[in-house]
Amino acid sequence: MIKPKKMVLASANSGKIKELQELLADLGLSIVPQGDLNIPDIEETGLTFVENAILKARNAAALSGLPAIADDSGLEVDYLLGAPGIYSARFSGDGATDATNREKLLNALTDAPSDQRGARYQAVIVYLRHADDPTPIICQGTWEGSIAVEHRGTGGFGYDPIFYVPEMACHAAELDKATKHSLSHRGKAIAQFLQQMSL
């Protein structure tokens, strides 16, 4: 595959932009957040992570004329039958923040037995060579864990302070960056993408 010299990153989420730029650093190309090109967010009207990632990547590619990469990701909680899912970033409604989303989730799990607090992060990465690319690269990663009853750690973003990682016996927000990248949903999806780009 011919590697581009530059691609647009279809996200306005500062935490996600930072992680993706770190994970994609080995590509050795310029990765420009869409905000730097005055590209607005597109409404996420899809019903799946895949659909929303394609919408975001196509919007960024169409408005920039560049190849585009997008991430749609979220948290699925067993007790809530997979919610908040694709609505993770806006779980607590208009004006949602990481803090209000976490608070709403913890409140929703107040009566959840410990064996029903299982959860997983999902990430779907979509890469479009151009806006009309008929064969986008689609990569998906999953990170299993559970929802803790308290906040811990200052790293990461989103639900990381309440996402318990059993294999490390700590919360996601307590992990160093390298460890998080090696375990996380986003890290796994990007590893697949980098493999595809090297073919």
Side-chain angles (χ1 to χ4, degrees), residues 1 20 70 102 108 129 131 140 147 152 154-155 158 176 179 193 198:
M1 181 183 296
L20 284 167
R102 289 193 300 267
R129 297 159 191 85
Q140 188 261 334
I147 304 303
R152 282 192 192 165
T154 56
D176 63 80
T179 303
F193 171 68
S198 67

Side-chain angles (χ1 to χ4, degrees), residues 119-121 142-146 163-172 174-175 178-185 188:
R120 68 213 46 83
Y121 271 127
T142 302
W143 192 12
E144 294 285 344
S146 63
F163 186 76
Y164 180 74
V165 184
E167 66 261 52
M168 303 303 293
C170 69
H171 294 207
E174 297 178 290
L175 295 171
T179 303
K180 184 185 178 187
H181 290 341
S182 71
L183 297 173
S184 79
H185 53 312
K188 291 171 185 172

Side-chain angles (χ1 to χ4, degrees), residues 8-174:
V8 59
L9 176 52
S11 179
N13 181 311
S14 58
K16 190 180 289 188
I17 290 169
K18 187 169 185 291
E19 281 196 359
L20 284 167
Q21 286 180 324
E22 289 167 0
L23 288 163
L24 292 166
D26 289 347
L27 273 179
L29 51 84
S30 176
I31 298 165
V32 185
Q34 65 179 22
D36 291 3
L37 303 174
N38 298 313
I39 296 172
D41 279 339
I42 191 169
E43 188 178 355
E44 296 178 29
T45 55
L47 299 178
T48 65
F49 293 119
V50 173
E51 290 172 323
N52 282 333
I54 290 173
L55 284 171
K56 291 189 277 190
R58 185 171 288 135
N59 177 63
L63 295 177
S64 68
L66 293 168
I69 188 166
D71 160 298
D72 200 55
S73 49
L75 184 70
E76 299 172 346
V77 180
D78 293 339
Y79 187 72
L80 303 180
L81 305 178
I86 61 169
Y87 305 106
S88 294
R90 48 195 188 278
F91 187 45
S92 55
D94 291 340
T97 65
D98 288 351
T100 60
N101 286 337
R102 289 193 300 267
E103 203 58 39
K104 179 174 180 178
L105 181 60
L106 289 177
N107 288 337
L109 296 179
T110 299
D111 298 324
S114 58
D115 63 348
Q116 292 182 41
R117 297 178 74 94
R120 68 213 46 83
Y121 271 127
Q122 300 281 10
V124 170
I125 300 292
V126 166
Y127 174 74
L128 292 177
R129 297 159 191 85
H130 51 82
D132 299 317
D133 188 347
T135 53
I137 292 175
I138 301 175
C139 302
Q140 188 261 334
T142 302
W143 192 12
E144 294 285 344
S146 63
I147 304 303
V149 296
E150 61 183 0
H151 293 69
R152 282 192 192 165
T154 56
F157 65 101
Y159 296 90
D160 287 354
I162 58 172
F163 186 76
Y164 180 74
V165 184
E167 66 261 52
M168 303 303 293
C170 69
H171 294 207
E174 297 178 290

